[in-house]
Amino acid sequence: MLSYFCMNWILLMLFTDPTVSEFLVKGTVGQNVVVPCSYSVESTRDITSMCWGRDRCPSSKCYQTIIWTDGWKVTEQYSSRYKLEGNLQAGDVSLTIVNAEEADSGIYCCRVEISGWFNDQMSNHKVVIENATISTASPHTYTSEQTSDNFYSTPGSTNEPSFTVTSAWLLVSASEAPRTTSGPCSSTSDCSDVTSNLQ
């Protein structure tokens, strides 16, 4: 009778999915993306092996393993684009995806192997890598007016014409701004021509 209950308990544990945390991580194409994962280390006895894999955490190990560590150093690495840059001995086993691509989107499993039956710490991370959105400012024109009456008039003169100077600025985003190395006048003679015409 006791063996019957023990067998049922073992089967229940084998076929019951353990609690697995799930997280969402968003990144941008071309940037490094950090997928966080850590475990508690109070002494060197707590340092343990772990793995990262593609897809959800299975009942043991990692599916499509991309990186393994023995707790002290990386022992297996699928690609140089996958790195563990945190302090492993402090339990920081966050995954860095270098120069992320859209193809890196998907589910990642972080599995920390804790001694004992069914003690592994597991977390699934949904990674979404998107193209950078380019926001271009719509052009806006701002106009300012300065009016001068009788600009060169002499006191008491009323027949001098008035004039209006209108300046306009066009605001564009940095990506739309024209690339030029010359100033407002390409030569000093151009600037003097404009000045003489105004006078």
Side-chain angles (χ1 to χ4, degrees), residues 24-162:
L24 173 65
V25 178
K26 290 188 176 183
T28 305
V29 170
Q31 301 294 319
N32 290 358
V33 176
V34 177
V35 187
C37 188
S38 63
Y39 66 99
S40 178
V41 174
E42 294 179 7
S43 70
T44 55
R45 290 189 314 250
D46 298 323
I47 296 173
T48 185
S49 58
M50 64 82 56
C51 61
W52 277 97
R54 296 294 299 258
D55 212 343
R56 297 188 179 281
C57 295
S59 57
S60 67
K61 308 297 182 189
C62 287
Y63 182 69
Q64 295 182 12
T65 304
I66 56 176
I67 201 162
W68 267 98
T69 171
D70 62 4
W72 299 93
K73 65 186 180 304
V74 172
T75 56
E76 185 180 328
Q77 191 174 8
Y78 172 75
S79 165
S80 61
R81 293 184 55 244
Y82 299 121
K83 296 184 177 184
L84 299 182
E85 296 183 330
N87 184 346
L88 298 181
Q89 290 81 39
D92 183 358
V93 290
S94 299
L95 175 69
T96 299
I97 303 172
V98 177
N99 194 19
E101 303 169 357
E102 283 187 89
D104 293 317
S105 296
I107 304 294
Y108 289 76
C109 165
C110 173
R111 182 185 208 103
V112 178
E113 297 185 317
I114 309 295
S115 61
W117 284 26
F118 312 109
N119 287 339
D120 287 0
Q121 175 186 309
M122 295 174 285
S123 55
N124 291 320
H125 303 261
K126 181 178 181 181
V127 175
V128 178
I129 308 296
E130 300 172 329
N131 282 311
T133 55
I134 302 171
S135 63
T136 55
S138 58
H140 298 286
T141 303
Y142 293 92
T143 304
S144 67
E145 291 188 355
Q146 297 173 338
T147 303
S148 174
D149 292 328
N150 305 323
F151 182 67
Y152 284 110
S153 62
T154 55
S157 172
T158 57
N159 294 329
E160 294 290 336
S162 64

